[in-house]
Amino acid sequence: MSLGTIFILVLVALVILSVLFAIFKFFIALLPAAIVVALIIWLIYKFKKPTGEGDNYPRKNYNIFNNSGNPTGRKRARNVTVKDVKKDKRGKDNG
């Protein structure tokens, strides 16, 4: 490579690095403003009082499929039969 080629490559790299530096400097300068905006939005949602049933997000973990009023959140079993566990010869339960 000649000295001219190396000089051109270094200049191209310098231009690319200066553009990248300018872009990142712009983002770094806007970072505190973005953090302040994020904190303000978080505070608005944290201290917003519930206005009723029309909220956009649920306040509690409601299970829409739980109609039985069962506190475990499961449906009641239907058509289930239960058998007793038989003891084997050693006196231990099978199961």
Side-chain angles (χ1 to χ4, degrees):
M1 267 201 261
S2 68
L3 180 62
T5 307
I6 293 173
F7 188 67
I8 291 173
L9 287 175
V10 169
L11 285 178
V12 169
L14 182 64
V15 168
I16 291 172
L17 285 175
S18 20
V19 169
L20 287 175
F21 178 73
I23 291 171
F24 285 124
K25 186 176 178 184
F26 178 71
F27 284 131
I28 290 171
L30 287 179
L31 188 62
I35 290 173
V36 168
V37 169
L39 285 174
I40 290 171
I41 292 171
W42 177 74
L43 285 173
I44 288 171
Y45 280 109
K46 180 161 178 62
F47 293 114
K48 181 182 176 187
K49 300 289 182 192
T51 58
E53 297 294 324
D55 285 341
N56 291 334
Y57 53 94
R59 293 284 175 189
K60 293 182 181 176
N61 187 11
Y62 293 110
N63 188 357
I64 61 173
F65 300 109
N66 184 12
N67 296 329
S68 66
N70 194 358
T72 61
R74 293 181 164 194
K75 289 185 177 180
R76 298 187 71 180
R78 292 183 284 174
N79 301 329
V80 177
T81 58
V82 179
K83 293 183 183 177
D84 289 334
V85 177
K86 295 181 181 178
K87 295 192 177 202
D88 62 1
K89 295 178 184 177
R90 296 176 295 195
K92 295 187 178 183
D93 291 338
N94 275 338

